[in-house]
Amino acid sequence: MLVVGIGGTTRPHSSSELAVATTLRAAAEQGAVTRHFGGAFLASLPHYTPDNPHRTAAQLDLVDTIRRADAVVIGTPGYHGGISALVKNALDLLEDLRDDTRPYFQDRAVGCIVTAAGWQACGTTLTSLRSVVHAMRGWPTPLGVTLNTSGTPLFTPDGDCTDRAASARLAELAQQLLQFDTSGSRNAPALTP
């Protein structure tokens, strides 16, 4: 199973990038193959222009990797109640998947992570990100993770999550990504009356 992460900022080791990396590590520990498109990669992408069909190698890499993905996790900082421009530009580029047999995020679980310096920005940005995932035919996981970064740092300089509750939520998000199956047969939990 391929789980692809998109997220980060122009600041190295941003909390949104580290939260995505932590989720991908948890998915890898459960047997997934993972790939992360972090802040530096996202910052290197040219602005998406729908009328320009030329794509750079980096743009083609992102689109092809998402095309092959079984699940996706997206992490964004909350900027003024919305998704960062870096993350939105990458998501806009996925318009190139519109004519695929499995367009956009169709039949894929999509985990949503938001980091912000306050709970209000966390909540409004998570709602915005989930709306984008729905518009792209994705299935947002039941758990959306919000991390308030206004207090004690949540990650060490090495990228380890220092907050036990946050670490547990990111691991649960990874588990939900791996358990998702649109056919309802593989890894689906039994329903009891």
Side-chain angles (χ1 to χ4, degrees):
M1 181 169 197
L2 174 61
V3 181
V4 179
I6 298 171
T9 70
T10 56
R11 185 173 50 84
H13 311 296
S14 68
S15 47
S16 58
E17 185 164 323
L18 294 175
V20 171
T22 298
T23 304
L24 292 175
R25 258 194 320 275
E29 289 169 2
Q30 297 177 55
V33 174
T34 64
R35 174 97 188 267
H36 187 186
F37 294 96
F41 178 90
L42 299 178
S44 77
L45 294 174
H47 290 287
Y48 171 71
T49 341
D51 56 342
N52 179 3
H54 174 73
R55 298 288 178 252
T56 65
Q59 287 175 309
L60 292 171
D61 184 25
L62 174 63
V63 170
D64 184 57
T65 303
I66 294 296
R67 179 176 281 126
R68 295 181 291 110
D70 298 297
V72 179
V73 59
I74 303 168
T76 183
Y79 288 161
H80 307 289
I83 301 165
S84 76
L86 287 181
V87 172
K88 184 65 168 71
N89 185 53
L91 296 176
D92 288 346
L93 176 62
L94 300 180
E95 180 63 18
D96 287 0
L97 300 173
R98 74 182 167 277
D99 294 325
D100 283 17
T101 54
R102 201 169 60 144
Y104 308 114
F105 294 136
Q106 185 168 317
D107 299 331
R108 296 172 181 94
V110 181
C112 299
I113 301 171
V114 174
T115 61
W119 290 117
Q120 181 174 345
C122 283
T124 58
T125 305
L126 180 61
T127 299
S128 177
L129 183 55
R130 284 177 175 255
S131 293
V132 170
V133 170
H134 278 290
M136 296 179 74
R137 303 181 189 182
W139 297 79
T141 55
L143 177 65
V145 177
T146 56
L147 302 173
N148 185 340
T149 59
S150 65
T152 307
L154 298 173
F155 298 93
T156 67
D158 294 332
D160 294 324
C161 188
T162 58
D163 183 285
R164 287 173 34 157
S167 182
R169 288 194 310 271
L170 294 170
E172 184 178 351
L173 181 62
Q175 184 176 23
Q176 288 183 5
L177 289 168
L178 297 177
Q179 288 180 339
F180 178 82
D181 179 15
T182 57
S183 73
S185 58
R186 182 178 53 109
N187 296 326
L191 299 176
T192 55

